Amino acid sequence: METTVREVKVAQNYESIAWKWMRYSGILLIPLAWIHVALQDVIVGVHHIDLSYVAARWAITGWRVYDFFLLAFAFAHGVNGLRQVLRDYVKSETAMNRISWLLLIFWAVISLIGVVAVIGGVR
């Protein structure tokens, strides 16, 4: 008996992209968050973190980029989770579509403020 395998093409839409982004951000957050916790809480210790420590750490561009990625992925993951929770309560597809786009704009604006603060705001 011969089995035929067919590929099913699914059109890319907002929901499928958001679904993938939730998984990608979750996977990326695991090493980002654990490295952050290990460095800040275990190696350095929270009692030794002050303004001079942050200034010295942010003097290195790589740490600023790292902190921005941690901020952006964590915030994207959280906003997308909020969107999924709201989907349980908002029954109108039109209203949910508007909320989804507003949350995307909200994420983009806050992430832009974060990149300006973390990457460009260090002197």
Side-chain angles (χ1 to χ4, degrees):
M1 179 180 222
E2 190 173 316
T3 304
T4 305
V5 177
R6 292 187 313 159
E7 260 187 56
V8 177
K9 297 283 184 178
V10 178
Q12 292 285 335
N13 61 16
Y14 189 86
E15 283 301 315
S16 65
I17 293 169
W19 184 87
K20 287 178 188 175
W21 185 251
M22 188 70 154
R23 273 65 186 171
Y24 296 151
S25 66
I27 289 169
L28 291 169
L29 274 173
I30 292 168
L32 287 171
W34 279 111
I35 291 169
H36 178 79
V37 167
L39 179 69
Q40 303 297 80
D41 296 342
V42 178
I43 297 170
V44 174
V46 293
H47 300 296
H48 299 288
I49 297 175
D50 57 7
L51 186 57
S52 63
Y53 169 78
V54 175
R57 185 169 179 247
W58 279 6
I60 302 167
T61 304
W63 280 118
R64 289 184 283 169
V65 172
Y66 178 88
D67 285 345
F68 168 70
F69 279 136
L70 182 60
L71 169 77
F73 288 135
F75 194 54
H77 196 78
V79 169
N80 202 7
L82 174 63
R83 190 181 67 81
Q84 291 298 334
V85 169
L86 289 173
R87 182 168 284 292
D88 292 340
Y89 295 101
V90 177
K91 300 302 179 196
S92 167
E93 195 60 39
T94 305
M96 194 60 226
N97 193 22
R98 288 186 183 136
I99 290 170
S100 294
W101 282 104
L102 284 172
L103 286 171
L104 179 64
I105 292 167
F106 173 66
W107 172 81
V109 167
I110 297 298
S111 293
L112 183 64
I113 291 169
V115 77
V116 168
V118 172
I119 306 268
V122 178
R123 297 278 178 248

